[in-house]
Amino acid sequence: MNQHCHPMCMCLEGGRLGFKLVDHKDPLQVEDEQQWPRWLYGYSFTRAPGPKSKAPELQTVERRNWLIHLHYVRKEFDHCKQLIREQLEETRGMCEYANYVQGLILRQEGKIQESFELFQLCNILNPSSIENIKQMARALFLLGRHKLAVEAYLQAEDKLNKPDWELHHNLGVCYMHLKEYEDAREHLMFALEVNKHHQTFAMLARLYLLDNDIPSAINTYRAAIEYFPENGDLHTALGLLYMQTGKHQQAFEHLGTTLTFDANNTRAILAAGSMMQSHQDFDVALAKYRVAAQSIPESPPLWNNIAMCFFGKKKYVAAISCLKRANYLAPFDWKILYNLGLVHLTMQQYTSAFHFLSAAVNLRPTKGHIFMLLAIALTYLDDEENARQAYEQAISLEVRDPSVCLNYAIFLYNHDDKEGAVRMINEFEVRMVKFRQSTGADLDTEVIENGAKLASLLGVDGSAFCKKTSRTRLDAQDETAPQEKVSTTQDTLQPMGESLHHSPPPAPETPDELDPPEEATGRDTAVLVPRTHNPELHKPPTFVSEGDDSHGEHLASAHLQFQEEEPHVSNQGDAGEENSVNHKQNSDESFE
Amino acid sequence: MEKNLFNTKMGENDRWLTAHHDPLATLYTFSSCMALADLHGDGESKLIIADLGTGAYNMKLKVYRGTSLMSENTLIDLPTGVITFHMDTTEPRVPAVAVASGSYIYIYKNLRPYFKFTLPTLEVNPTEFDAWSQARDELLDVSMLYEILDSLRQEVGECGLTTRSQRFLMCPDHGSQATFLDQHKGFLLKRQTVVTCFSTMKKSHAEDDAISCLVLGTESANIFILDPEAFTILNSMSLPSVPVFLSVSGLYDVEYRIIVACRNGQIYTLKRGTKIGRPTAELTSQPVGLLRRDKSIIVATMDQNLHSFNNKGKRLWSLKLPTPVTCMETLEIRTLGLTLTALGMADHRVMIYRDKHLVDTIHTEDKISAMKFGRFGREDNTLVLVMKGGGLLVKILKRTARFEIEETQGPSQALAVKLNIPKKTKLFVDQTMRERENSVLMHRVFQHDLYRLRLNTARAYVQALETSSNPVSLSQTEPLKLSAQVLGLGPTFKLRVELQNTSSVSPSLQLAVIFHCDDRVYNVDKSYIQIPMLVPGIIHVAETLITCISELGISDTVRVFVVKGKASRPLLTAVINMPVAEVFMGS
């Protein structure tokens, strides 16, 4: 007991330290002093009606806030909701923090409107709190009412006495959704000045991309990486942007960095893998995909890329298996269908190839390369007229790739249309020159050789085809060895085969940021150099090319009319010697 | 026996021994409510747990000695934290236990109640104070007081008022308000706050048994440092938000640093001589735990990340965690000179990190709710785990255990896994060969059949349109939709027909529904139902009873026609395949 008087005296001293000890000094402590024995024997004094002088104990409204908060951050929402319910019952819904956390939980559960109402209630209970207004704004943002969200954020900003990163970041995002890019950029920049968060960097970069300002986006990511050197997502995004701009070296570096810090980053794996594929490192790429397959076994692009690796390694059955899985996972992805068509063409399954290609063309009727493959399939299916139509369509849709012209020229030559063939070979030459000028690279040697041979057969000056052969790219030279091997096997397998060529289309379509590898696969382009036997078919079926969705169907139905026609094998001899069969070479090229 | 069972079930971790496992301990506690200390000076460390009971009552301060419960003291309110500390220099050197609960801190010595400290009250709003004193002197009546307080709440917010005002405003009617006023007006108005987090700081010496100050964080966003001998406030500091986690280092009399994680998701640093917390790091998610290493802060956040910052707030590294974190604890293993971080995960395991490298995982049966590492009994490196379901698990670190950073095994592990490529059968190869040989013929036959199929489909479609045997009317004048439902098990079924006018403006008139069936099988109650005017969009329901009268146990189809006026052709037709009546299946 003696010890007890001691604290009382010290209390007064405490006042010196700047703390306001209004009524702390005597009444309370004296009360305690009086209560001491009671407390000692089981602390009944708080519940039991004490002596008359004692005020009835009132439970502080906020007394359970810490418990609610702790359960909330531990994501024990069930428990938390129970606590909140009890708390709100006890306080008749007046506990601000309980309502606030309830709102946060509802938001996590996706009940945005309800959570918005709770934050409104919090705002009524405590109009001075900026946090409540910010949460209201956030709810409005999540409800897609960006204008109202901006207003709420601006209101919060007015009340705020110091800059707040979160507020400006969210304002920037809201403005971005409102398509007011200037304001958005301003706020995001400001948010970055307040505090550097990778979310803001990523958002700012996205904003630049919306404006098609790729250099600024790249700079933003580079700045972000200075602050977050180990953030895999930032490195991946930057790598993809570099890939898009054709800076493959830098792209590979950043994707590699991602993989060092986060070996399981599937986006980076897919992007890096597709780059390896384009350099024919199929085994390395497959090793990477194996890692990715652990975490995203249901990704269509992944299986598509795996399939094209097998294709590159000439494991066609595995390639078909994987492509069929990819197709099962994404039945409306034209790239997968296109690849399926390509692999089936290689396997000489022309009927199946036709199927997949006509499906692809229905989904993407503007892609010239699909029409070209379709034309090749149709040539083998003895449907000359439809093949011709498909070639015409391919040439009008694909205006840059020289190989389309070459294939058509060979087709025309084989069908005794020398005049048309000459016209096409000239067009081929024009396109080839343009291609050389625009990319600085040369076409695949096989394409050029075949072009030269056809030109000499037609009596056209084929010198243009030869003059740059010395300058073929490195990887093209690498290909020569396997090509020859293939051609021999191909000969035995299919004496009347045509050869497919792939050459890189000069301008790959803009990569989809989310799905980089698809872009890589989408670039396969087949160039067919028909070589021998070309059946002549007499009934010209109608091929309607103007309808967007109807190509495949019309092509399909068109065949009904002439099924009795006997395929007529002609001029097998002469052309056969000239064009070496390179059926499988397309695989090597498919990812260029 | 129990231990064996557990071992066989969970598999023993090679670094940890299970010393005790009591799945029925029914503990509800947090890491902050657990402490390990030698309370009796007998060299044996006890486990002190402040149990939150049911969360409303039955709160207890429990002390475990070894595997048995040694003592239990009732607590009157929810405990926020438990701490053991030396408050004086008396011999033998036994620490006192401090339990923070509500607005009070209860000090126990030798497990007996010793002292109760009340948090200093906050300043009362002058308007509020005047209002209550006028009410006491009967200058204000109940409704006026209510109005004043209500408008004050609009101004300063709910949390700016005293508990008494808050409770007064909660009273639903005039009568209860008056009673409340009578009950309370005679007493002094005070505004109290609540302890939210709790820690200790050595006062002037760094020895293990030196006198420590108490450091409190309160709901009013303050940090108080209490003198352990006199229980006066040595220092009071303020923060922009409510503190949630505290980490204290240093000596009060020399130099100290308090790192606080707050509810606004920011981390603040307080040093000797500062009055206001300095913002150190901004998190993008709520912190779930805060630990301090020599020169760095480790924070787990709600978005499943583990961040490390240096003392200045620069991010050192971040790690993405597989599941949400529930609690964190430092494992200081002095024998190895190691300081590890243990994370209790939501997926029933404890992950132990050495810096950012995962070095060990302990699997448990339940979600971890609280963890404490330290000396328990006579064993130095003991990890006490409390499960969500209330179980208590004590693990002892083996003396041979080492925590070496292993090479990341992720990719190499994945390399060993083969790609799951669907296999193809010989049939597939045969089919391929067949297609190669007969591709042209196959193509044509297929195209031929496809054409036929299309033709047949088109014919059937036209026929359906001609006979109006379709459930959705395509005519421009009467756009209707029909759907039918059979309810019941039989022999009496209820047939429910829903009719909807799908046009935007024009109503349908003179409609009727006719049921047609084989009268040897079914008996229809109302075979003709007149439909009132159908307003666009509204679903009209026509119902009839159909009894199966056939004794053969067969089922048949019922046709539903929608007709208009005296027209001979129906607008719509639906054919309903009736189920077999239940009665026949039984007999």
Side-chain angles (χ1 to χ4, degrees), chain A residues 479-507:
Chain A
E479 286 160 22
T480 47
Q483 270 167 30
E484 279 159 14
K485 246 185 277 163
V486 176
S487 52
T488 52
T489 53
Q490 192 63 40
D491 277 331
T492 54
L493 256 174
Q494 189 215 13
M496 337 184 285
E498 291 181 325
S499 68
L500 281 167
H501 275 260
H502 272 253
S503 80

Side-chain angles (χ1 to χ4, degrees), chain A residues 15 39 52 76 153 191 222 234 271 287 299 354 425 434 479 575:
Chain A
W39 187 67
K52 274 220 154 169
E76 293 162 344
Y153 274 126
R222 288 176 66 102
L234 291 174
S299 152
F354 173 80
I425 202 87
K434 270 190 197 156
E479 286 160 22

Side-chain angles (χ1 to χ4, degrees), chain A residues 281-453:
Chain A
D281 288 338
F282 298 118
D283 288 315
V284 187
L286 269 178
K288 292 276 173 226
Y289 292 146
R290 224 168 271 161
V291 179
Q294 303 295 311
S295 47
I296 46 162
E298 294 186 353
S299 152
L302 172 74
W303 285 107
N304 178 64
N305 282 11
I306 290 176
M308 293 328 273
C309 276
F310 283 126
F311 187 61
K313 293 171 67 162
K314 315 215 187 315
K315 291 180 181 167
Y316 298 117
V317 177
I320 288 178
S321 290
C322 295
L323 274 175
K324 285 206 170 146
R325 175 177 287 177
N327 179 240
Y328 171 79
L329 295 168
F332 298 116
D333 188 331
W334 69 270
K335 287 169 185 169
I336 296 166
L337 288 166
Y338 177 88
N339 284 338
L340 265 170
L342 183 68
V343 181
H344 279 104
L345 268 188
T346 317
M347 291 288 277
Q348 303 155 44
Q349 288 171 272
Y350 303 113
T351 318
S352 306
F354 173 80
H355 262 305
F356 293 118
L357 291 169
S358 81
V361 96
N362 274 320
L363 291 166
R364 182 58 80 101
T366 52
K367 195 86 185 148
H369 287 107
I370 311 178
F371 279 103
M372 185 176 70
L373 284 199
L374 204 54
I376 293 165
L378 285 168
T379 312
Y380 282 105
L381 292 169
D382 293 351
D383 190 349
E384 183 199 341
E385 198 47 47
N386 276 331
R388 194 185 299 274
Q389 298 268 22
Y391 269 126
E392 291 291 348
Q393 191 74 9
I395 281 190
S396 65
L397 288 173
E398 176 58 56
V399 290
R400 276 183 290 195
D401 189 357
S403 51
V404 185
C405 298
L406 181 62
N407 275 329
Y408 193 22
I410 297 172
F411 172 81
L412 290 172
Y413 176 75
N414 285 339
H415 288 83
D416 295 328
D417 184 355
K418 286 247 165 62
E419 228 169 90
V422 169
R423 208 175 61 240
M424 271 304 128
I425 202 87
N426 288 335
E427 173 72 16
F428 170 67
E429 204 178 323
V430 171
R431 286 188 181 190
M432 188 172 71
V433 170
K434 270 190 197 156
F435 178 79
R436 279 174 177 158
Q437 281 166 353
S438 61
T439 60
D442 207 340
L443 285 173
D444 188 85
T445 36
E446 285 299 322
V447 178
I448 294 169
E449 271 172 32
N450 284 327
K453 279 174 192 163

Side-chain angles (χ1 to χ4, degrees), chain B residues 174-399:
Chain B
H174 191 269
S176 56
Q177 283 168 11
T179 329
F180 186 91
L181 178 61
D182 285 343
Q183 222 175 347
H184 293 88
K185 65 183 177 187
F187 301 100
L188 194 78
L189 189 67
K190 59 188 182 191
R191 201 173 135 216
Q192 279 197 319
T193 185
V194 174
V195 181
T196 56
C197 49
F198 191 34
S199 185
T200 55
M201 186 199 302
K202 295 273 185 295
K203 194 154 188 288
S204 43
H205 300 283
E207 285 85 41
D208 278 347
D209 60 353
I211 293 177
S212 307
C213 308
L214 293 181
V215 183
L216 313 176
T218 65
E219 187 73 32
S220 57
N222 285 317
I223 298 283
F224 297 125
I225 300 176
L226 295 187
D227 182 276
E229 284 166 301
F231 286 97
T232 50
I233 292 182
L234 289 174
N235 199 356
S236 131
M237 294 165 280
S238 68
L239 291 164
S241 178
V242 184
V244 184
F245 299 105
L246 284 179
S247 168
V248 182
S249 58
L251 299 173
Y252 179 76
D253 288 340
V254 186
E255 178 64 62
Y256 61 86
R257 185 190 286 266
I258 305 173
I259 293 162
V260 195
C262 288
R263 268 187 213 159
N264 61 358
Q266 301 239 23
I267 295 173
Y268 297 93
T269 309
L270 295 155
K271 282 188 192 167
R272 187 182 162 83
T274 54
K275 280 280 161 204
I276 294 170
R278 178 178 65 84
T280 306
E282 190 176 35
L283 304 169
T284 48
S285 180
Q286 286 285 352
V288 188
L290 171 85
L291 298 177
R292 196 155 171 279
R293 209 39 63 77
D294 308 325
K295 285 199 167 58
S296 62
I297 309 164
I298 296 176
V299 192
T301 53
M302 229 180 130
D303 57 358
Q304 302 178 22
N305 275 312
L306 188 66
H307 302 284
S308 171
F309 298 95
N310 68 8
N311 281 339
K312 294 211 167 58
K314 189 180 184 306
R315 186 189 307 267
L316 301 175
W317 47 263
S318 292
L319 208 63
K320 183 86 187 156
L321 300 169
T323 46
V325 181
T326 53
C327 54
M328 275 177 102
E329 173 71 355
T330 308
L331 311 186
E332 199 180 342
I333 306 165
R334 287 189 187 165
T335 47
L336 299 175
L338 273 180
T339 311
L340 307 173
T341 308
L343 300 177
M345 311 300 287
D347 62 346
H348 305 186
R349 57 181 167 162
V350 180
M351 290 166 82
I352 299 172
Y353 282 88
R354 179 176 170 175
D355 290 327
K356 58 172 178 167
H357 305 283
L358 180 67
V359 288
D360 196 13
T361 306
I362 304 173
H363 292 274
T364 55
E365 283 171 320
D366 196 1
K367 213 159 134 181
I368 313 290
S369 179
M371 278 193 290
K372 199 80 202 171
F373 183 84
R375 185 180 162 86
F376 184 28
R378 295 183 185 277
E379 193 56 52
D380 270 333
N381 300 317
T382 311
L383 183 62
V384 182
L385 304 166
V386 175
M387 308 296 156
K388 184 107 199 301
L392 176 70
L393 178 63
V394 181
K395 292 260 184 193
I396 295 176
L397 185 70
K398 285 186 189 169
R399 305 248 155 97

